Amino acid sequence: MSINRRQVIRGGVGFGALALAAPAVIGQAKPRAVVIGGGPGGATAAKYIAKDSQGAIDVVLVEPTREFTTCFHSNLYLGGYRDFASITHGYDKLVPYGVRLNHQLANTIDRDKKEVVLADGSRLPYDRLVVSPGIDLKYDSVPGWGQEFEETMPHAWKAGPQTQLLKRRLDAVPDGGLIVMVAPPNPYRCPPGPYERASMMLHVLKSTGRTKAKIIIVDPKENFSKQALFQEGWEKYYPGMIEWIGPKIHDGIKSVDPKTNTVVTGFETYKDAALVNVIPAQTAGKIALNAGLANQTGFCPINPENMKSAQDANIFILGDACIAGDMPKSAFSANSQAKVAAMMVRGDLTGARTFPARYANTCWSLIETDDAVKVGGAYEPKDGKIAAASTFISQTGETADVRKQTQAENMAWYSAFVTDVFA
Amino acid sequence: MLGLSLVGPGLFLVPQAQAAGDRALGEYLSTTCVSCHRPDGQSAEGIPSIIGWPSDQFVAVLKAYRDKTREHQIMNSLTSSLSDADMDALAEYFGSLSRK
Ligand SMILES: Cc1cc2nc3c(=O)[nH]c(=O)nc-3n(C[C@H](O)[C@H](O)[C@H](O)COP(=O)(O)OP(=O)(O)OC[C@H]3O[C@@H](n4cnc5c(N)ncnc54)[C@H](O)[C@@H]3O)c2cc1C
């Protein structure tokens, strides 16, 4: 779709809406929206605010990287179903909508002055601020591990070089080698992600004849997302190659030793692993913590009607960083929340019409070639949180046709979704 | 509505059988749909294009998902909270888009 034509189509709505109500910000050339973070939350918000406000709002997207590698489908890269370039996206296509890109880190948020202080010391004033910095890793949550060991025991929970490192390490695992995954405690980004990752590792090992290799998942959780579906798939495709161990059995993840590739639990010590994948506990991105937007959980409470921070009505918090009630921390959720926030920003700044918030999410997971499952739902504000209005999940024992169709949907989703976020 | 007078080349309007839905509401609700269905009409195997449909057909399909005479987990879930007016609004919005 050409930009001109899009502007023509949107124009009717934009101008009509503008005429309806008085802008909330008076006596200033143009109201200003600043967005921190160019992931699915922030990039979507910046695009929709700019696109739908037709130049009436000045929109700046602050994001240090010029290319964004998506965590979503990074497991498919690990499994050999995608190449790295296909999960990496630039921001240039957002510019024609009116998004101004500022490629640096935001250091702090000065909430009193309503300014974002950037890494180079410059300040960006805002009328409304959207904060979508994703997660930060709690490097001290696994004893013995830390940032200095993320090359030896990669996390690959932020996509990029870590993802490529994990793949190289997987490819080097010998037949008979041991992989230990230390799974994260709740709440964390992408609930089914560790288990899809294990499935993709198994696919690679099996399809390269390394069927004597084994994966042990030591999990601090009693149970996990899509558990019955994953375990059915592991039994079917990868018998004897994977063991999931919950806290009742391992009695606590005591420590890891990156020098000897050892993982110690209360029950057993796993030595000389060929690969240890540590996925640590998580918090909202540091900038949100430092700005006082998080509570004791390490994530940020929001108003479910509009995605505004519970602490500051000039700030919206999206995606992994926020406490989104029944919605999981996913790219789909972040994108859905961003659309609500973008509408509310326009409502605040230009008087555009707003409608009651609605949210949606679906997360697909690939278990083996042509065998994918999904979980998701529709969500609405209720009783002070974002609550599930209706949910669904794939069934165990589904036909091969259904699973193949689900995988086709997964691939089609990715292509539509990255277009929605980045183009 | 102002939007109708701004129709440019390449944009066609589907004749409306009944009163047109609320396009602004439709545009907002459509933001959920376009996380999967591309608004430029391109489609991949697995997720069909939903633009430029006659509005009565569009609404009929959504209603079939809502009352589950047509089955699809995601569509059944998403339509469960849509009112008739929401469906008219979506039909109006997507019906006004054409393939690029
Ligand atoms: C292995 C794996 C698989 C996944 N699979 C799926 C899937 O299939 N489907 C799905 O929906 N989700 C999936 N996810 C989850 C998904 O990736 C995240 O939920 C999503 O990326 C969250 O988006 P976000 O905008 O909140 O944060 P992010 O995507 O993390 O984006 C945050 C951005 O903010 C920037 N930033 C941070 N701090 C600052 C600052 N101070 N100043 C400026 N910029 C800053 C960062 O550079 C980053 O680009 C997966 C995740 C993982 C790890």
Side-chain angles (χ1 to χ4, degrees), chain A residues 98-151:
Chain A
V99 176
R100 291 199 286 130
L101 302 172
N102 196 320
H103 284 300
Q104 51 179 321
L105 204 67
N107 265 353
T108 50
I109 302 167
D110 185 337
R111 282 168 50 190
D112 295 332
K113 291 200 179 120
K114 294 211 276 176
E115 289 176 346
V116 175
V117 185
L118 301 178
D120 68 1
S122 61
R123 286 174 166 261
L124 280 178
Y126 63 80
D127 296 301
R128 291 295 180 274
L129 175 65
V130 178
V131 179
S132 189
I135 51 148
D136 262 304
L137 304 175
K138 283 174 97 166
Y139 283 103
D140 59 1
S141 63
V142 177
W145 192 72
Q147 188 155 19
E148 66 274 37
F149 300 118
E150 67 183 8
E151 302 281 311

Short mmCIF file of all heavy atoms in Angstrom, two decimals, chain A residues 98-151:
data_model
loop_
_atom_site.label_atom_id
_atom_site.label_comp_id
_atom_site.label_asym_id
_atom_site.label_seq_id
_atom_site.Cartn_x
_atom_site.Cartn_y
_atom_site.Cartn_z
N GLY A 98 5.76 9.38 9.73
CA GLY A 98 5.98 10.56 10.56
C GLY A 98 6.71 10.26 11.86
O GLY A 98 6.79 11.11 12.75
N VAL A 99 7.25 9.04 11.97
CA VAL A 99 8.01 8.70 13.18
C VAL A 99 9.44 9.21 13.02
O VAL A 99 10.09 8.94 12.02
CB VAL A 99 8.05 7.17 13.40
CG1 VAL A 99 8.92 6.81 14.60
CG2 VAL A 99 6.64 6.62 13.58
N ARG A 100 9.91 9.99 13.99
CA ARG A 100 11.31 10.41 13.99
C ARG A 100 12.11 9.42 14.83
O ARG A 100 11.74 9.13 15.96
CB ARG A 100 11.45 11.83 14.55
CG ARG A 100 10.86 12.87 13.60
CD ARG A 100 11.39 14.25 13.90
NE ARG A 100 10.80 14.81 15.11
CZ ARG A 100 11.52 15.34 16.10
NH1 ARG A 100 12.84 15.38 16.05
NH2 ARG A 100 10.91 15.83 17.16
N LEU A 101 13.19 8.91 14.25
CA LEU A 101 13.99 7.90 14.95
C LEU A 101 15.13 8.58 15.69
O LEU A 101 15.79 9.47 15.14
CB LEU A 101 14.57 6.89 13.94
CG LEU A 101 13.54 6.16 13.08
CD1 LEU A 101 14.26 5.34 12.00
CD2 LEU A 101 12.66 5.26 13.94
N ASN A 102 15.36 8.17 16.91
CA ASN A 102 16.50 8.67 17.67
C ASN A 102 17.23 7.45 18.24
O ASN A 102 16.77 6.83 19.19
CB ASN A 102 16.03 9.61 18.79
CG ASN A 102 17.19 10.43 19.34
OD1 ASN A 102 18.29 9.92 19.48
ND2 ASN A 102 16.93 11.69 19.63
N HIS A 103 18.35 7.11 17.58
CA HIS A 103 19.00 5.85 17.90
C HIS A 103 19.98 5.97 19.05
O HIS A 103 21.19 5.94 18.85
CB HIS A 103 19.69 5.28 16.66
CG HIS A 103 18.71 4.67 15.69
ND1 HIS A 103 17.88 3.62 16.03
CD2 HIS A 103 18.41 4.98 14.42
CE1 HIS A 103 17.13 3.31 14.99
NE2 HIS A 103 17.43 4.12 13.99
N GLN A 104 19.47 6.14 20.23
CA GLN A 104 20.32 6.06 21.41
C GLN A 104 19.49 5.56 22.59
O GLN A 104 18.27 5.45 22.52
CB GLN A 104 21.01 7.37 21.71
CG GLN A 104 20.10 8.57 21.77
CD GLN A 104 20.89 9.84 22.10
OE1 GLN A 104 21.80 9.81 22.91
NE2 GLN A 104 20.52 10.94 21.46
N LEU A 105 20.23 5.30 23.66
CA LEU A 105 19.59 4.81 24.88
C LEU A 105 18.97 5.99 25.63
O LEU A 105 19.55 7.06 25.68
CB LEU A 105 20.66 4.14 25.74
CG LEU A 105 20.20 3.09 26.75
CD1 LEU A 105 19.67 1.86 26.03
CD2 LEU A 105 21.38 2.70 27.66
N ALA A 106 17.80 5.78 26.19
CA ALA A 106 17.24 6.76 27.12
C ALA A 106 17.83 6.44 28.49
O ALA A 106 17.74 5.31 28.95
CB ALA A 106 15.73 6.65 27.15
N ASN A 107 18.44 7.43 29.11
CA ASN A 107 19.08 7.17 30.41
C ASN A 107 18.11 7.26 31.57
O ASN A 107 18.07 6.39 32.42
CB ASN A 107 20.22 8.18 30.64
CG ASN A 107 21.55 7.60 30.23
OD1 ASN A 107 21.64 6.41 29.89
ND2 ASN A 107 22.58 8.42 30.22
N THR A 108 17.35 8.34 31.60
CA THR A 108 16.40 8.52 32.71
C THR A 108 15.14 9.21 32.20
O THR A 108 15.13 9.82 31.13
CB THR A 108 16.99 9.40 33.84
OG1 THR A 108 17.52 10.59 33.27
CG2 THR A 108 18.07 8.68 34.62
N ILE A 109 14.11 9.12 33.02
CA ILE A 109 12.87 9.85 32.75
C ILE A 109 12.71 10.87 33.87
O ILE A 109 12.66 10.51 35.04
CB ILE A 109 11.65 8.90 32.74
CG1 ILE A 109 11.84 7.80 31.69
CG2 ILE A 109 10.37 9.68 32.47
CD1 ILE A 109 10.86 6.65 31.83
N ASP A 110 12.66 12.15 33.49
CA ASP A 110 12.42 13.21 34.47
C ASP A 110 10.92 13.46 34.47
O ASP A 110 10.38 14.23 33.67
CB ASP A 110 13.21 14.46 34.04
CG ASP A 110 13.12 15.58 35.08
OD1 ASP A 110 12.14 15.58 35.87
OD2 ASP A 110 14.01 16.43 35.09
N ARG A 111 10.22 12.76 35.39
CA ARG A 111 8.75 12.80 35.35
C ARG A 111 8.21 14.16 35.75
O ARG A 111 7.12 14.54 35.31
CB ARG A 111 8.19 11.69 36.26
CG ARG A 111 8.28 10.32 35.58
CD ARG A 111 8.01 9.19 36.55
NE ARG A 111 6.81 9.38 37.33
CZ ARG A 111 6.47 8.63 38.37
NH1 ARG A 111 7.25 7.63 38.73
NH2 ARG A 111 5.36 8.87 39.03
N ASP A 112 8.93 14.90 36.59
CA ASP A 112 8.45 16.23 36.99
C ASP A 112 8.48 17.20 35.83
O ASP A 112 7.52 17.92 35.58
CB ASP A 112 9.30 16.77 38.15
CG ASP A 112 9.12 15.92 39.39
OD1 ASP A 112 8.03 15.32 39.52
OD2 ASP A 112 10.07 15.82 40.20
N LYS A 113 9.59 17.18 35.10
CA LYS A 113 9.71 18.10 33.95
C LYS A 113 9.07 17.53 32.69
O LYS A 113 9.00 18.21 31.67
CB LYS A 113 11.18 18.40 33.67
CG LYS A 113 11.85 19.25 34.75
CD LYS A 113 13.12 19.89 34.17
CE LYS A 113 13.81 20.77 35.19
NZ LYS A 113 15.18 20.32 35.47
N LYS A 114 8.68 16.27 32.73
CA LYS A 114 8.18 15.56 31.55
C LYS A 114 9.22 15.60 30.42
O LYS A 114 8.96 16.08 29.30
CB LYS A 114 6.84 16.15 31.09
CG LYS A 114 5.72 15.92 32.11
CD LYS A 114 4.37 15.79 31.46
CE LYS A 114 3.73 17.13 31.18
NZ LYS A 114 2.47 17.00 30.46
N GLU A 115 10.39 15.10 30.75
CA GLU A 115 11.48 15.02 29.77
C GLU A 115 12.19 13.67 29.88
O GLU A 115 12.34 13.13 30.97
CB GLU A 115 12.51 16.13 30.02
CG GLU A 115 12.00 17.52 29.66
CD GLU A 115 12.99 18.64 30.00
OE1 GLU A 115 13.95 18.39 30.75
OE2 GLU A 115 12.76 19.75 29.51
N VAL A 116 12.63 13.18 28.73
CA VAL A 116 13.46 11.98 28.70
C VAL A 116 14.89 12.44 28.50
O VAL A 116 15.18 13.22 27.58
CB VAL A 116 13.03 11.04 27.55
CG1 VAL A 116 13.96 9.84 27.46
CG2 VAL A 116 11.58 10.58 27.75
N VAL A 117 15.79 11.98 29.37
CA VAL A 117 17.20 12.35 29.23
C VAL A 117 17.91 11.23 28.48
O VAL A 117 17.91 10.07 28.90
CB VAL A 117 17.85 12.55 30.62
CG1 VAL A 117 19.29 13.05 30.45
CG2 VAL A 117 17.03 13.51 31.46
N LEU A 118 18.50 11.59 27.35
CA LEU A 118 19.14 10.59 26.49
C LEU A 118 20.60 10.38 26.88
O LEU A 118 21.19 11.15 27.64
CB LEU A 118 19.04 11.03 25.03
CG LEU A 118 17.60 11.23 24.53
CD1 LEU A 118 17.60 11.70 23.09
CD2 LEU A 118 16.80 9.93 24.66
N ALA A 119 21.18 9.30 26.30
CA ALA A 119 22.56 8.93 26.64
C ALA A 119 23.53 10.08 26.36
O ALA A 119 24.51 10.27 27.08
CB ALA A 119 22.97 7.69 25.86
N ASP A 120 23.27 10.88 25.33
CA ASP A 120 24.19 11.98 25.00
C ASP A 120 23.91 13.24 25.85
O ASP A 120 24.48 14.30 25.61
CB ASP A 120 24.14 12.32 23.50
CG ASP A 120 22.80 12.93 23.08
OD1 ASP A 120 21.90 13.12 23.94
OD2 ASP A 120 22.64 13.21 21.87
N GLY A 121 23.01 13.10 26.82
CA GLY A 121 22.73 14.22 27.72
C GLY A 121 21.60 15.13 27.24
O GLY A 121 21.09 15.95 28.01
N SER A 122 21.20 14.98 25.99
CA SER A 122 20.12 15.85 25.50
C SER A 122 18.79 15.42 26.12
O SER A 122 18.64 14.30 26.62
CB SER A 122 20.05 15.81 23.97
OG SER A 122 19.77 14.50 23.54
N ARG A 123 17.83 16.33 26.06
CA ARG A 123 16.54 16.08 26.70
C ARG A 123 15.42 16.14 25.66
O ARG A 123 15.41 17.02 24.81
CB ARG A 123 16.28 17.13 27.77
CG ARG A 123 17.12 16.91 29.01
CD ARG A 123 16.98 18.04 30.02
NE ARG A 123 17.54 17.62 31.29
CZ ARG A 123 16.81 17.17 32.33
NH1 ARG A 123 15.51 17.13 32.26
NH2 ARG A 123 17.40 16.78 33.44
N LEU A 124 14.51 15.21 25.77
CA LEU A 124 13.35 15.19 24.87
C LEU A 124 12.10 15.47 25.69
O LEU A 124 11.68 14.64 26.49
CB LEU A 124 13.17 13.80 24.25
CG LEU A 124 14.02 13.38 23.07
CD1 LEU A 124 13.66 11.95 22.69
CD2 LEU A 124 13.77 14.31 21.88
N PRO A 125 11.49 16.64 25.52
CA PRO A 125 10.25 16.92 26.25
C PRO A 125 9.09 16.10 25.67
O PRO A 125 9.07 15.81 24.47
CB PRO A 125 10.01 18.41 26.00
CG PRO A 125 10.99 18.85 24.99
CD PRO A 125 11.89 17.72 24.61
N TYR A 126 8.18 15.70 26.53
CA TYR A 126 7.01 14.96 26.05
C TYR A 126 5.74 15.48 26.70
O TYR A 126 5.77 15.99 27.82
CB TYR A 126 7.17 13.47 26.33
CG TYR A 126 7.26 13.08 27.79
CD1 TYR A 126 6.10 12.96 28.59
CD2 TYR A 126 8.48 12.80 28.39
CE1 TYR A 126 6.19 12.59 29.93
CE2 TYR A 126 8.57 12.43 29.73
CZ TYR A 126 7.42 12.33 30.50
OH TYR A 126 7.50 11.96 31.82
N ASP A 127 4.64 15.32 25.99
CA ASP A 127 3.33 15.47 26.62
C ASP A 127 2.81 14.12 27.08
O ASP A 127 2.18 13.99 28.12
CB ASP A 127 2.36 16.13 25.64
CG ASP A 127 2.80 17.55 25.29
OD1 ASP A 127 2.93 18.37 26.21
OD2 ASP A 127 3.09 17.82 24.10
N ARG A 128 3.06 13.11 26.24
CA ARG A 128 2.77 11.73 26.65
C ARG A 128 3.99 10.88 26.31
O ARG A 128 4.58 11.03 25.24
CB ARG A 128 1.55 11.17 25.91
CG ARG A 128 0.22 11.82 26.32
CD ARG A 128 -0.15 11.53 27.78
NE ARG A 128 -1.41 12.16 28.14
CZ ARG A 128 -1.53 13.41 28.58
NH1 ARG A 128 -0.45 14.19 28.72
NH2 ARG A 128 -2.73 13.90 28.88
N LEU A 129 4.30 9.97 27.25
CA LEU A 129 5.47 9.10 27.07
C LEU A 129 5.00 7.65 27.04
O LEU A 129 4.20 7.24 27.88
CB LEU A 129 6.44 9.31 28.23
CG LEU A 129 7.68 8.40 28.28
CD1 LEU A 129 8.60 8.65 27.09
CD2 LEU A 129 8.44 8.61 29.59
N VAL A 130 5.50 6.89 26.08
CA VAL A 130 5.22 5.46 26.03
C VAL A 130 6.51 4.73 26.38
O VAL A 130 7.55 4.98 25.77
CB VAL A 130 4.74 5.04 24.62
CG1 VAL A 130 4.51 3.53 24.57
CG2 VAL A 130 3.46 5.79 24.25
N VAL A 131 6.45 3.85 27.37
CA VAL A 131 7.64 3.14 27.84
C VAL A 131 7.46 1.65 27.52
O VAL A 131 6.55 1.01 28.05
CB VAL A 131 7.82 3.35 29.36
CG1 VAL A 131 9.05 2.59 29.85
CG2 VAL A 131 7.96 4.85 29.67
N SER A 132 8.32 1.14 26.63
CA SER A 132 8.24 -0.29 26.27
C SER A 132 9.64 -0.87 26.14
O SER A 132 10.07 -1.27 25.06
CB SER A 132 7.44 -0.45 24.96
OG SER A 132 7.17 -1.80 24.71
N PRO A 133 10.38 -0.93 27.26
CA PRO A 133 11.79 -1.33 27.22
C PRO A 133 12.02 -2.83 27.31
O PRO A 133 13.18 -3.26 27.36
CB PRO A 133 12.36 -0.63 28.46
CG PRO A 133 11.23 -0.66 29.45
CD PRO A 133 9.95 -0.56 28.63
N GLY A 134 10.94 -3.62 27.36
CA GLY A 134 11.12 -5.06 27.50
C GLY A 134 11.62 -5.43 28.88
O GLY A 134 11.31 -4.74 29.87
N ILE A 135 12.39 -6.51 28.94
CA ILE A 135 12.86 -7.02 30.23
C ILE A 135 14.33 -6.70 30.46
O ILE A 135 15.06 -6.41 29.52
CB ILE A 135 12.71 -8.56 30.30
CG1 ILE A 135 13.35 -9.22 29.06
CG2 ILE A 135 11.25 -8.95 30.43
CD1 ILE A 135 13.94 -10.56 29.32
N ASP A 136 14.73 -6.79 31.71
CA ASP A 136 16.13 -6.94 32.04
C ASP A 136 16.30 -8.25 32.77
O ASP A 136 15.38 -8.74 33.42
CB ASP A 136 16.63 -5.74 32.87
CG ASP A 136 17.34 -4.74 31.97
OD1 ASP A 136 18.30 -5.16 31.28
OD2 ASP A 136 16.92 -3.57 31.91
N LEU A 137 17.49 -8.84 32.62
CA LEU A 137 17.75 -10.14 33.23
C LEU A 137 18.26 -9.94 34.65
O LEU A 137 19.06 -9.04 34.90
CB LEU A 137 18.80 -10.89 32.40
CG LEU A 137 18.44 -11.08 30.92
CD1 LEU A 137 19.61 -11.72 30.18
CD2 LEU A 137 17.18 -11.94 30.78
N LYS A 138 17.81 -10.80 35.55
CA LYS A 138 18.34 -10.76 36.93
C LYS A 138 19.55 -11.70 36.97
O LYS A 138 19.41 -12.90 37.20
CB LYS A 138 17.27 -11.20 37.93
CG LYS A 138 16.23 -10.10 38.20
CD LYS A 138 15.12 -10.62 39.05
CE LYS A 138 15.29 -10.31 40.53
NZ LYS A 138 14.01 -10.54 41.26
N TYR A 139 20.70 -11.10 36.73
CA TYR A 139 21.91 -11.92 36.60
C TYR A 139 22.27 -12.63 37.90
O TYR A 139 22.99 -13.61 37.89
CB TYR A 139 23.07 -11.05 36.11
CG TYR A 139 23.00 -10.74 34.63
CD1 TYR A 139 22.59 -9.51 34.16
CD2 TYR A 139 23.35 -11.73 33.69
CE1 TYR A 139 22.53 -9.23 32.80
CE2 TYR A 139 23.30 -11.46 32.33
CZ TYR A 139 22.89 -10.21 31.89
OH TYR A 139 22.82 -9.95 30.53
N ASP A 140 21.76 -12.10 39.03
CA ASP A 140 22.12 -12.74 40.30
C ASP A 140 21.08 -13.77 40.75
O ASP A 140 21.13 -14.26 41.87
CB ASP A 140 22.31 -11.67 41.38
CG ASP A 140 21.05 -10.84 41.60
OD1 ASP A 140 20.02 -11.12 40.92
OD2 ASP A 140 21.07 -9.93 42.44
N SER A 141 20.13 -14.09 39.88
CA SER A 141 19.06 -14.99 40.32
C SER A 141 19.47 -16.46 40.27
O SER A 141 18.78 -17.32 40.82
CB SER A 141 17.79 -14.76 39.49
OG SER A 141 18.02 -15.05 38.12
N VAL A 142 20.56 -16.78 39.56
CA VAL A 142 21.05 -18.16 39.53
C VAL A 142 22.47 -18.13 40.14
O VAL A 142 23.39 -17.60 39.52
CB VAL A 142 21.09 -18.70 38.08
CG1 VAL A 142 21.67 -20.12 38.05
CG2 VAL A 142 19.70 -18.68 37.46
N PRO A 143 22.64 -18.69 41.34
CA PRO A 143 23.94 -18.62 42.01
C PRO A 143 25.06 -19.20 41.14
O PRO A 143 24.92 -20.28 40.57
CB PRO A 143 23.74 -19.48 43.27
CG PRO A 143 22.26 -19.46 43.51
CD PRO A 143 21.62 -19.36 42.16
N GLY A 144 26.15 -18.46 41.05
CA GLY A 144 27.29 -18.92 40.26
C GLY A 144 27.31 -18.34 38.85
O GLY A 144 28.34 -18.29 38.18
N TRP A 145 26.13 -17.91 38.38
CA TRP A 145 26.02 -17.36 37.03
C TRP A 145 26.07 -15.84 37.13
O TRP A 145 25.95 -15.27 38.23
CB TRP A 145 24.70 -17.81 36.40
CG TRP A 145 24.56 -17.55 34.92
CD1 TRP A 145 25.22 -18.20 33.91
CD2 TRP A 145 23.69 -16.59 34.29
NE1 TRP A 145 24.80 -17.70 32.70
CE2 TRP A 145 23.87 -16.72 32.90
CE3 TRP A 145 22.79 -15.64 34.77
CZ2 TRP A 145 23.17 -15.94 31.97
CZ3 TRP A 145 22.10 -14.86 33.85
CH2 TRP A 145 22.29 -15.00 32.47
N GLY A 146 26.27 -15.14 36.04
CA GLY A 146 26.26 -13.69 36.03
C GLY A 146 26.55 -13.20 34.63
O GLY A 146 26.81 -14.00 33.72
N GLN A 147 26.48 -11.88 34.45
CA GLN A 147 26.66 -11.32 33.12
C GLN A 147 28.00 -11.74 32.51
O GLN A 147 28.10 -11.98 31.30
CB GLN A 147 26.57 -9.79 33.19
CG GLN A 147 26.57 -9.16 31.80
CD GLN A 147 25.91 -7.80 31.79
OE1 GLN A 147 25.75 -7.15 32.82
NE2 GLN A 147 25.52 -7.36 30.60
N GLU A 148 29.04 -11.86 33.37
CA GLU A 148 30.36 -12.21 32.85
C GLU A 148 30.40 -13.65 32.32
O GLU A 148 31.35 -14.05 31.67
CB GLU A 148 31.44 -11.96 33.91
CG GLU A 148 31.38 -12.83 35.16
CD GLU A 148 30.45 -12.29 36.27
OE1 GLU A 148 29.38 -11.73 35.96
OE2 GLU A 148 30.80 -12.46 37.46
N PHE A 149 29.36 -14.43 32.61
CA PHE A 149 29.34 -15.82 32.14
C PHE A 149 28.31 -16.06 31.04
O PHE A 149 28.03 -17.20 30.70
CB PHE A 149 29.08 -16.76 33.33
CG PHE A 149 30.13 -16.67 34.40
CD1 PHE A 149 29.81 -16.25 35.68
CD2 PHE A 149 31.46 -16.99 34.11
CE1 PHE A 149 30.79 -16.17 36.66
CE2 PHE A 149 32.45 -16.90 35.09
CZ PHE A 149 32.10 -16.48 36.36
N GLU A 150 27.75 -14.98 30.50
CA GLU A 150 26.68 -15.20 29.52
C GLU A 150 27.22 -15.72 28.17
O GLU A 150 26.46 -16.20 27.35
CB GLU A 150 25.80 -13.95 29.34
CG GLU A 150 26.46 -12.78 28.70
CD GLU A 150 25.53 -11.56 28.62
OE1 GLU A 150 24.43 -11.58 29.18
OE2 GLU A 150 25.94 -10.59 27.96
N GLU A 151 28.53 -15.64 27.98
CA GLU A 151 29.11 -16.25 26.78
C GLU A 151 29.33 -17.76 27.00
O GLU A 151 29.17 -18.55 26.07
CB GLU A 151 30.47 -15.61 26.46
CG GLU A 151 30.43 -14.11 26.25
CD GLU A 151 29.92 -13.72 24.87
OE1 GLU A 151 30.43 -14.29 23.88
OE2 GLU A 151 29.03 -12.87 24.80
#
